[in-house]
Amino acid sequence: MDAMRQARIDLAAALRLAVRFGFHEGICNHFSAMVPGFDGGFLINPQGFHWSEITASSLVLVDFQGEVLEGEHSVEATAFYIHGALHRHLPRARVVLHTHMPHATALTTLEDPTLEPISQTALGFYGRIAYDGDYNGLALDTEEGERIAAAMGDKPVALLANHGVVVTAPDMATAFNDLYYLERACELQVKALSTGRPLRRVSAQVAERTARQFVAPDNAGQMTAHFTALKRLLDREAPDYRW
């Protein structure tokens, strides 16, 4: 299977899976992916489609000037301005997932949105999250995307104040694995905070060691296995995503 076809299938799968886990919001938010061997643009979900109806062939290939290279549909302006800047400025960001998923976004509405080291799941993100504290409205110009890219720096994940989250990665399996577990970690924190009782934080020493274990090279296979297993679910229940 050629790289373009595989990239389309994986991106369509990620969008369908996001619906399964409640990460989507209406027809808003965007997932994008660059194609191995092609640096002239990126695939992204088209404007006006619910993620449950996305297929590999309905995705749009757009260049960095916003021109559609392949596809019959348009791309929403905020999608281009956010994703174009992140793909252009962050070399690791071959995949960019942006959502308003509920528990992670709930943290962005707090005065202190820090994902605390209170669960094993959260420790997978220890030292890997950028916190962008400036909300400036809808991303309707190049400056907003550029600002988000600068705020992320060398961090693969960002919590955007009063807005949502961005997850970047060199491949779809890594990106979706992070997106899934980020929401789970945030859900645990929101539930813990709802008790009104003090949080029990893991020490910095243990948190740092555990974080290194999560990103160790021998753990990369776990991420691939997770995404592959999720695609098997789609293959059984909604195989049309591959069309």
Side-chain angles (χ1 to χ4, degrees), residues 202-217:
V202 174
S203 71
Q205 181 181 11
V206 172
E208 289 169 1
R209 183 173 71 247
T210 308
R212 288 195 298 270
Q213 292 171 333
F214 270 106
V215 298

Side-chain angles (χ1 to χ4, degrees), residues 18-84:
V19 175
R20 176 183 290 264
F21 296 121
F23 298 165
H24 65 305
E25 185 171 66
I27 59 170
C28 302
N29 305 166
H30 335 99
F31 286 4
S32 63
M34 296 187 70
V35 179
F38 178 70
D39 291 330
F42 51 93
L43 291 166
I44 196 163
N45 48 302
Q47 184 173 17
F49 280 68
H50 193 273
W51 291 7
S52 64
E53 59 184 348
I54 293 291
T55 63
S57 61
S58 69
L59 296 167
V60 178
L61 182 67
V62 63
D63 68 16
F64 288 102
Q65 288 71 51
E67 296 296 322
V68 173
L69 302 177
E70 291 182 12
E72 301 177 357
H73 310 288
S74 60
V75 175
E76 200 231 333
T78 63
F80 171 72
Y81 288 128
I82 292 175
H83 291 250

Side-chain angles (χ1 to χ4, degrees), residues 105-213:
T105 302
L107 289 193
T108 75
T109 69
L110 301 178
E111 188 66 30
D112 179 2
T114 303
L115 180 62
E116 299 285 359
I118 59 171
S119 69
Q120 179 169 285
T121 305
L123 297 183
F125 298 95
Y126 190 78
R128 300 178 60 227
I129 300 178
Y131 297 91
D132 177 12
D134 297 317
Y135 177 72
N136 294 311
L138 300 181
L140 295 175
D141 56 52
T142 57
E143 291 183 4
E144 183 65 4
E146 304 258 340
R147 188 190 62 73
I148 292 172
M152 291 189 72
D154 63 352
K155 307 295 186 186
V157 177
L159 295 186
L160 311 177
N162 310 103
H163 184 179
V165 305
V166 171
V167 171
T168 65
D171 59 80
M172 185 61 73
T174 303
F176 198 85
N177 189 75
D178 270 355
L179 189 76
Y180 176 88
Y181 283 108
L182 177 65
E183 177 66 354
R184 295 302 294 259
C186 292
E187 180 180 5
L188 285 172
Q189 182 164 320
V190 168
K191 289 181 176 179
L193 289 170
S194 73
T195 69
R197 297 166 64 182
L199 299 178
R200 180 175 181 173
R201 295 172 177 83
V202 174
S203 71
Q205 181 181 11
V206 172
E208 289 169 1
R209 183 173 71 247
T210 308
R212 288 195 298 270
Q213 292 171 333

